[in-house]
Structure formats: C-alpha cells, structure tokens
Amino acid sequence: MAYSFPEEVLEYVFAFLSSDKDRNAVSLVCKSWYEIERWCRRRIFIGNCYAVSPQIVIRRFPEVRAVKIKGKPHFADFNLVPEGWGAYLYPWISAMARSYPWLEEIKLKRMVVTDESLELISKSFKNFKVLVLSSCEGFTTDGLASIAANCRNLRELDLRESEVEDLSGHWLSHFPDNFTSLVSLNMSCLGSEVSFSALERLVSRCPNLKTLRLNRAVPVEKLPSLLRRAPQLVEFGTGAYSAEIQTDIFSNLVEAFSGCKHLKSLSGFWDVVPAYLPAMYNVCSRITSLNLSYATVQSPDLVELISQCPNLKCLWVLDYIEDAGLKALSSYCKDLQELRVFPSDPYGAEPNVSLTEQGLVTVSAGCPKLQSVLYFCRQMSNAALIAIARNRPNFIRFRLCIIEPQAPDYLTLEPLDTGFGAIVENCKELRRLSLSGLLTDRVFEYIGTHAKKLEMLSIAFAGDSDLGLHHVLSGCESLRKLEIRDCPFGHKALLANAAKLETMRSLWMSSCSVSYGACKLLGQKMPRLNVEVIDERGSPNSRPETCPVEKLYVYRTVAGPRVDKPDFVWTMDEDAALRLS
Amino acid sequence: MLMELELGLALPNQTPVDIKRHIKQKRESAEAFDNGEIENKKLCLLLWSGQPNEEEDDRRGSQRTDNKRINEEENIIVGWPPINSMRKELLHHHHQQYHGGNWIARFPGRDNNNGARNRMSLLVKVKMEGVAIGRKIDLRLFNSYQALKHTLLHMFSKYLKIDRNGTEYTVLYQDKEGDWLLAGDVPWETFMESVQRMEILRNDS
C-alpha cells in the first residue's frame, strides 16, 4: 500500500538499493514508486551508448551523480571496428554539463573522448571526483592537463589501457599545489616522462593516495622515493623494472617496499631484470593481485616470486610461466580465483615456450577457488577440457584461445565439441565463454542446452551452418552479448530468432555470410533494433542483395538510428523507423 | 540429422494462434520483397531442414597447399589472436630488441601465400602504385572483375585522387606460378583459384 509511507520514507528505503536491477524492479511497481525512484537514482550504467540518448536519460533521471557508459563493441579491441565508427563522448558531456552540475563520477569504456570533452568536464562539474577512461581514445595529454588543473576535488584519474596522444609529461604538473584529494592515479598507458619532482610532491601531499600505477618511463631507482612518501599505498604499479645491478638501488628498494604494510596489488614490470624481483619479497605475503603480463621473465624467476605469495587471488602472466610454473602456482596459491596467461610470441610459427593444455589442467585441479580464466595456448584436447570441467565446476568465466584457428584436438584430431560441451555442462554458473579450435554445430547444441546462465559468448572460425547459431540464440536464456567472426552463419538463424535480439544488448557478426537483403529485412521487421551494416567497400546498394556484408552490428535501442554515422555504416530501414516515430 | 523447424518472427511469449495471425499480417510485405536469397517467399515461416547453408559450395573447399612460399606480410588475419594493441606493441618492442628486429607477424603453420586460413574468406593483399600502405581485401565478397575494380578504386581513393572511371588504371594479379597477369583475361573462377596478390598501376607510368 504505497500511500501508507510518505515519499521521504520510501526514498530513504530506496537509497539502500544499489543494484540497477533492483531499482528497475522497484520503478515498475506503480507510478508513484516510479516517480520517487527516478528522482533518487544517483548512479546510471549505460551498457551501450547508442541504446539510449543523453536526453532520454536526463529526462528520466534528473539527479544523477555517477555515470558509467560503454561505447564500441568488444571486438574493437582487436581492430575489427573501423576507425571513426562512433561512440563519441562529447554529446553526453555537453548534455550533462547543462543538467547534472553536481555530477561526480564518469566511467567510460571504449569511447572516443576528445580534449574538448575533458576540458568541458573539468569546467562543468564543480564537485567532480572520479574519471576512469578504460580503452578509450581520441584525447591528448592536454586534455589531462585540463582535468588536473581544474578538478579541485578529484579523487580518481584512471587511464587504463587508453590510447592517449602523448604530447608531453607536463600535464601532471598542472595539479595545483593545494590539491590534496587524490586517492587513485593510473597513468600506466602513457609514454612520456612526467616531471619526477612534480610527481614526488603530488604523492607527498596526498595522504589518501591508495593506488598509484606509474608508466614505463619511471625508472626503478626512482621507486623508493615514491614508496617512502606513500607507505599507505594499497595498489602499486612500477615503471620499467630494470637498471644495472647496483646494490644500493636494490637495498633502497627492499627498504622502501618493507615500509608499505598495506600493499595488496602489484603491476607494471616492463623490461624486468630478474635480479630486482626479490626486492619485493617482503610484501609478497600480503599480495592478492599480481599483474606480470608485461614481464618478459623466464619461468624459474616467476616461480620464485609466486612462491612468496600464498594469498594470491589474481595472477596475470605471460606464457613464459610454462606448465612447470603453473604447477608451482597450483601448489603455492590455493586462494587463486583469476588466472590470465597471455602469449609471448603469438605470431611465431613454432611454440617458443613449454606451455600446453597441461598447465591449465594442473591449475584447475590444484586451485579450488579458481573461477575466471583467460588462457592462450597452442594445443588442446577434449580430454584436457573434460578434466578441467570436472575439476572446476565453479567457473564463471572461461576464455580459451588456441592460437591456430580451427585447431583440432591434437591427440585425436577430432573437433573440440565434447571438451567445450563438458565445460558448459559442468560449470552451471558460467557467465562468459570464449571458444576456439575446431568446432562443429555440435558444440553450439551443447551450449544451447546447458549454458543457461551464459551472458557473453565469443565465437571465431567455428560451426558448420545456421543450425549452430540457432542453438545459441534459442537456447541461451541469459545471453546478452554475442560476438561472432569468420563463421559460416547466414541469415536463417538470425531471422528466425529476431525477437531474441531485443532481449540482448548486442550482436556482432563479421566475416560471416549474412546477406545485405537479410540485414534489410531484419531492420524492417525489428524497429526497436538498430541493424548496422558496416562495410568499407562502399554502399551495399552497389552490390547484389545476396552479397554478404562485411560486418553487422545489431543492438536494441530506444533512441532510434543514430545520427553520427560515418560513411561506411548504414542503419537498415532507417526510413521506416523514422516514419513510425 | 534432419531437423524441420517452423520458425516465425514473433515475440517469445506468443501463443501459436497469435503467431499465425502475426504471420498472416506479414505475408503482404513478404510478397513485395523480391530477393532471390530467401528462397521461400513466406519470409516468416522458414521451413528448415537443418542442412548446411546452400551458400557453402565446392569452390570454397579448394586447398592451396602447393605454394610453400611464405610472405610474411600476407599471412595475417586481422585481429587474431585476440590481443589488444597495447600488448601487441609490447611484444613487437620485445621482439625488436631481442630477436634482431625481424619480428614476423606470420601465422603459425601457414603454408599458403594468400592469407586465407579459414573457409570463409580469401584475403589477398592489394598494393596501389603511389600508396605506401597496402590493403587487404576479401575476394569471396565479389563475383565479378567489375565489382572488384570498382571497390578497389573506392578503397584507394582515400589516399590518392583517383579518376573514378578507372580508365587510367590497370589491375594486375600474381598467380600461383608467380607470374603477373592482367586481371580480367581469365574467367572469374579461374582467377579466384590462382590469385595470390594484386597490384594497381597507373596507365601513364
């Protein structure tokens, strides 16, 4: 009985709801709850910037303090989305600058951010606190200078993996002398050297600094000076971890690290000289997260370090660790939850390290809490996958990349259908899956039958026919994101399951066999989807309708076809959609 | 396994009665849509026998194992393996330093020259005279020289001012034997079977 509680009470209760799902559910109860909820929602997550427009968001939620927006599809990370496709931040900032003067947080992923946007952010939001730019691009260090200079209450500046045009390191010196609020700084993706004395002074005057991730340009001999000024650090990323071996550098490092009693996470480690790794041993017992994925160090040195970290929960490492190192990992690190093994020589003709499927089998057997895996390797077998699945039914993320496309089970030369089938059958909580190797439609039958909690699926060079895609679209009830490249899928499964696409965030298909005609049809039939044909060969109208499109990106939207398309993107049946609106 | 599906474009919770009504409404537009690819003109009712796509025909099966020359620049599949540019840059840097700078972005086990490792595409490198960077193009997406030439000129028009008639350009291709031939002389299918890479020259050079 909604009328028995005054609005203020309901608002107070709703304030405890942090999950978007809960808030969305609450807003559907009745009109007055919808109204109360929308006025008190402070955090917004927009999983696809084109699914909605800034105007629609602002109209519904007038008092937002934190936004998180994602732009380009995931495959943009691998150069599959042509430059200039979209995901521009500026329209969002321009609208929010007018309507959300109290905005505090902006977190972005795969968006195009310009210096102009950054400057507008820095001048529009007086209480701005958090800027996270994950895999973004389009800005220079000048934009960072605006943020540093103008955001007096800034707490977090995190540039993780963004592509920044690095004009100079001077931006850091723009933080005013009375600026002391910094809690987190991640500049690891930048190339230029910043003024070290400016960095030292910044670190000294920010007592709440918990995260400091330096870039490669900061040499190892300068680290002690920073660590001594910030013994409260919880997360630290080194620069290039190499220098000529000098005992005083080493002893300074040991001493500096020892002073950091709260360090839990380490990263960086470019150009590692193994002799300097032991300098960290004093802190290793508390370390829960270690990112060694840039450390080109051999297995024995890695093992020595890892053996000091019994509380390790998350490890990112290059395949230099080899099967032997993974065996050691599985015996020392019983708390391990996440493992990512990246390839050191992905384009080499022959394997350069002794890392095989065995390493993953061993870790899955020895680490009972392991739930998230990303593993690059050169050979796999159904037997290994079945063993892994049986060892670890608690996987929630399983991403396997066998480097050679369509590589079969190396023992039996059969497809890897049964292996991946075992994964989905045993791991009932699986939310994310990436497939590789030789796979037929059968694997998709297994996935459609068993992977009921699967939210994201990545497929490459797999399957035989539309039946495969049909299994996935009709069976995977929780599917939100599907990305497919180089598979023999045409239009049949897509058109037959068109309604499913409205229940998902997005579908990406590139180098498949979906004809232009089918795309047009899909666009006509499903007005609440944007069916984008991305084709750099020129207008699809200049080719027969049976001609497959290069790339297809389909996503649900309430904003209609977008207005910022480049000349190689066509939204199907835009005219009809406009007529209806 | 023969699977017969009657599939309709419908919302997930519709009853069968609703679906039939839904389909009847759609039939009018279905007839107006003349597209050879959707063989059954009742667009929403797709009787499907579970056979592999008709699009997959024999010509895709042809293997190209006889040409063992490995040209490093051609053996790349875009975006594979899936590692992001930061990591790629790191590896490149590492290989430059420690492997004599001869980092070959080459695909493991590749023994053919045309870069197409999967059945779906035939990627060949195309160079245009006067343009420093070559482009890769998937020939499976074409079925005539006309369309191919038109597209190639469109692609390169970003780099050079090109007379769109294309009368001033000659398209050449290198075949399996290593010989450079004029594109257009042999039937399209023959061309597709032997093309390794292509080049576009200005006629006045």
Side-chain angles (χ1 to χ4, degrees):
Chain A
M1 295 198 291
Y3 59 78
S4 62
F5 284 115
E7 257 184 46
E8 297 79 32
V9 174
L10 280 172
E11 210 177 296
Y12 183 75
V13 171
F14 292 171
F16 290 98
L17 298 174
S18 50
S19 114
D20 278 343
K21 264 192 182 163
D22 290 341
R23 282 189 163 264
N24 290 344
V26 148
S27 65
L28 291 175
V29 166
C30 63
K31 278 198 180 142
S32 71
W33 280 37
Y34 175 91
E35 277 301 307
I36 297 166
E37 194 283 317
R38 77 180 187 92
W39 279 95
C40 70
R41 192 179 302 209
R42 299 280 176 265
R43 313 190 74 89
I44 300 278
F45 169 65
I46 297 159
N48 172 6
C49 63
Y50 290 119
V52 71
S53 72
Q55 289 68 31
I56 293 172
V57 174
I58 291 169
R59 192 167 63 220
R60 180 171 172 190
F61 300 113
E63 300 276 340
V64 164
R65 298 274 187 275
V67 292
K68 183 169 179 184
I69 311 175
K70 292 189 176 183
K72 298 185 207 172
H74 173 237
F75 274 177
D77 286 356
F78 317 127
N79 293 331
L80 290 179
V81 178
E83 184 137 342
W85 173 80
Y88 304 107
L89 177 66
Y90 192 81
W92 290 90
I93 300 300
S94 144
M96 294 193 296
R98 284 190 294 273
S99 306
Y100 295 155
W102 299 111
L103 192 68
E104 293 177 6
E105 287 185 23
I106 297 174
K107 296 184 181 177
L108 307 170
K109 192 163 189 180
R110 294 192 199 97
M111 302 266 315
V112 176
V113 178
T114 56
D115 286 348
E116 207 186 1
S117 299
L118 291 175
E119 196 177 335
L120 192 55
I121 289 172
S122 75
K123 300 216 165 117
S124 309
F125 309 117
K126 299 293 170 228
N127 204 23
F128 194 67
K129 296 197 170 110
V130 173
L131 183 63
V132 176
L133 303 174
S134 177
S135 303
C136 295
E137 51 156 0
F139 59 104
T140 77
T141 41
D142 285 353
L144 298 178
S146 304
I147 297 286
N150 300 315
C151 299
R152 297 305 166 105
N153 296 311
L154 193 70
R155 294 211 190 128
E156 274 183 56
L157 179 60
D158 185 339
L159 305 173
R160 56 179 91 153
E161 315 227 311
S162 289
E163 267 182 52
V164 186
E165 194 185 329
D166 205 326
L167 302 173
S168 83
H170 197 58
W171 65 274
L172 190 96
S173 310
H174 284 255
F175 283 112
D177 289 334
N178 60 357
F179 170 74
T180 60
S181 51
L182 201 61
V183 173
S184 170
L185 177 64
N186 179 354
M187 46 183 245
S188 53
C189 61
L190 297 178
S192 295
E193 202 176 331
V194 298
S195 151
F196 191 71
S197 57
L199 181 59
E200 270 180 322
R201 279 180 279 121
L202 179 64
V203 170
S204 292
R205 67 178 184 272
C206 294
N208 296 317
L209 192 67
K210 298 277 189 300
T211 299
L212 179 63
R213 303 224 192 254
L214 304 170
N215 63 346
R216 197 173 187 163
V218 179
V220 73
E221 56 266 22
K222 298 229 165 113
L223 297 184
S225 155
L226 293 171
L227 290 171
R228 263 182 246 120
R229 285 169 166 77
Q232 75 282 4
L233 278 179
V234 175
E235 299 181 328
F236 182 64
T238 75
Y241 205 71
S242 66
E244 283 178 19
I245 315 291
Q246 287 177 24
T247 40
D248 55 338
I249 295 180
F250 187 85
S251 54
N252 284 345
L253 265 177
V254 173
E255 201 200 318
F257 271 117
S258 305
C260 296
K261 309 275 185 219
H262 306 275
L263 265 183
K264 288 214 156 72
S265 165
L266 290 172
S267 63
F269 302 112
W270 289 276
D271 314 313
V272 176
V273 165
Y276 278 111
L277 288 175
M280 299 186 303
Y281 286 177
N282 284 339
V283 296
C284 283
S285 61
R286 283 181 290 269
I287 293 295
T288 56
S289 169
L290 200 48
N291 182 351
L292 295 165
S293 63
Y294 296 111
T296 47
V297 186
Q298 300 305 310
S299 184
D301 298 306
L302 290 169
V303 169
E304 252 212 74
L305 178 60
I306 287 167
S307 63
Q308 313 278 329
C309 307
N311 290 310
L312 200 60
K313 291 198 167 78
C314 175
L315 175 66
W316 290 21
V317 73
L318 286 168
D319 57 9
Y320 289 125
I321 192 168
E322 298 190 328
D323 289 343
L326 290 175
K327 187 166 177 196
L329 175 69
S330 71
S331 66
Y332 290 117
C333 303
K334 293 301 187 188
D335 268 0
L336 195 70
Q337 292 174 14
E338 177 177 332
L339 174 66
R340 297 197 191 188
V341 179
F342 295 96
S344 56
D345 187 17
Y347 303 111
E350 298 299 321
N352 62 325
V353 291
S354 175
L355 178 107
T356 68
E357 81 283 8
Q358 196 47 50
L360 188 55
V361 174
T362 314
V363 177
S364 70
C367 299
K369 298 188 189 166
L370 188 65
Q371 58 182 28
S372 177
V373 163
L374 169 62
Y375 198 77
F376 284 80
C377 61
R378 286 170 188 269
Q379 67 185 40
M380 188 50 62
S381 66
N382 283 309
L385 282 170
I386 292 168
I388 291 165
R390 294 210 178 120
N391 289 336
R392 239 5 68 232
N394 48 321
F395 274 139
I396 56 177
R397 275 173 229 106
F398 188 76
R399 296 155 70 187
L400 179 66
C401 179
I402 306 163
I403 289 179
E404 172 86 15
Q406 300 174 335
D409 176 325
Y410 78 99
L411 295 169
T412 64
L413 297 184
E414 280 172 5
L416 290 169
D417 299 335
T418 42
F420 279 106
I423 295 282
V424 291
E425 198 175 336
N426 283 286
C427 306
K428 304 208 194 300
E429 301 298 314
L430 197 67
R431 295 202 304 256
R432 184 168 180 182
L433 178 63
S434 299
L435 305 171
S436 58
L438 182 64
L439 297 165
T440 71
D441 283 347
R442 178 126 279 168
V443 74
F444 299 116
E445 196 184 336
Y446 295 141
I447 292 173
T449 307
H450 296 288
K452 295 306 181 187
K453 300 240 174 112
L454 192 65
E455 296 178 6
M456 182 169 178
L457 180 60
S458 309
I459 309 174
F461 307 103
D464 305 312
S465 75
D466 270 58
L467 194 52
L469 182 56
H470 175 70
H471 283 308
V472 170
L473 290 176
S474 58
C476 296
E477 290 159 9
S478 310
L479 196 62
R480 292 189 297 112
K481 289 180 280 185
L482 181 55
E483 46 186 26
I484 303 173
R485 61 162 299 174
D486 295 277
C487 294
F489 300 143
H491 62 268
K492 294 180 191 147
L494 206 54
L495 292 176
N497 291 282
K500 170 76 174 174
L501 299 176
E502 266 188 16
T503 69
M504 291 166 54
R505 181 186 297 171
S506 66
L507 165 70
W508 170 276
M509 289 178 77
S510 56
S511 305
C512 297
S513 302
V514 185
S515 68
Y516 176 50
C519 294
K520 283 204 290 190
L521 185 59
L522 187 61
Q524 275 165 19
K525 296 306 174 191
M526 307 295 295
R528 287 188 300 206
L529 296 178
N530 273 355
V531 178
E532 287 190 12
V533 167
I534 301 166
D535 208 314
E536 291 183 282
R537 297 170 294 169
S539 169
N541 286 313
S542 62
R543 288 181 293 278
E545 288 210 340
T546 51
C547 208
V549 300
E550 265 180 4
K551 298 166 190 189
L552 174 66
Y553 186 47
V554 181
Y555 53 90
R556 63 182 177 189
T557 180
V558 294
R562 55 185 177 112
V563 297
D564 61 358
K565 294 193 295 288
D567 62 7
F568 53 82
V569 173
W570 293 267
T571 305
M572 295 298 97
D573 209 46
E574 205 170 322
D575 293 336
L578 287 171
R579 273 204 303 276
L580 287 168
S581 64
Chain B
M1 173 181 81
L2 219 66
M3 179 176 128
E4 295 214 356
L5 289 173
E6 280 195 22
L7 303 161
L9 284 173
L11 294 170
N13 294 320
Q14 277 188 346
T15 65
V17 174
D18 289 340
I19 291 175
K20 286 207 165 70
R21 210 177 333 124
H22 193 71
I23 288 165
K24 190 157 187 281
Q25 283 159 6
K26 301 264 190 278
R27 193 159 294 156
E28 291 77 44
S29 47
E31 253 119 41
F33 187 98
D34 84 297
N35 178 348
E37 198 193 24
I38 299 170
E39 44 284 315
N40 188 333
K41 292 294 182 180
K42 291 171 196 155
L43 291 160
C44 302
L45 249 191
L46 296 173
L47 265 176
W48 186 14
S49 64
Q51 304 284 347
N53 286 354
E54 279 80 30
E55 292 92 89
E56 273 192 358
D57 53 70
D58 287 332
R59 64 194 172 104
R60 286 161 195 257
S62 61
Q63 288 292 107
R64 290 158 195 275
T65 50
D66 37 288
N67 191 336
K68 298 267 185 242
R69 275 173 293 154
I70 296 173
N71 181 321
E72 72 264 20
E73 287 172 289
E74 296 185 354
N75 292 330
I76 303 171
I77 289 181
V78 174
W80 191 268
I83 50 180
N84 66 28
S85 38
M86 276 192 81
R87 235 165 253 297
K88 263 196 273 196
E89 220 181 276
L90 166 92
L91 296 174
H92 183 73
H93 182 85
H94 178 72
H95 283 268
Q96 286 270 324
Q97 262 186 300
Y98 299 107
H99 298 273
N102 201 17
W103 192 54
I104 295 172
R106 187 184 64 224
F107 222 89
R110 192 175 290 272
D111 60 3
N112 58 50
N113 212 12
N114 61 27
R117 194 54 174 172
N118 68 82
R119 329 167 239 215
M120 295 313 301
S121 60
L122 174 50
L123 291 168
V124 297
K125 187 154 188 180
V126 187
K127 268 200 150 99
M128 169 125 198
E129 192 186 3
V131 179
I133 301 171
R135 298 288 301 270
K136 276 201 150 258
I137 191 162
D138 182 358
L139 290 180
R140 295 243 184 263
L141 299 173
F142 299 92
N143 50 20
S144 74
Y145 288 111
Q146 167 83 344
L148 174 60
K149 190 171 180 185
H150 178 84
T151 300
L152 287 176
L153 292 174
H154 175 87
M155 262 167 49
F156 283 103
S157 65
K158 290 183 215 162
Y159 306 108
L160 289 182
K161 201 165 177 321
I162 286 184
D163 159 33
R164 292 300 191 98
N165 291 339
T167 50
E168 297 176 40
Y169 298 90
T170 305
V171 181
L172 301 175
Y173 74 97
Q174 189 179 39
D175 72 356
K176 286 195 278 211
E177 272 72 53
D179 300 321
W180 283 95
L181 306 170
L182 194 64
D185 275 356
V186 299
W188 178 258
E189 284 69 32
T190 314
F191 163 76
M192 287 286 278
E193 233 124 68
S194 59
V195 59
Q196 302 299 303
R197 49 147 62 126
M198 303 182 66
E199 196 161 344
I200 307 174
L201 299 175
R202 296 176 66 96
N203 287 346
D204 55 6
S205 65

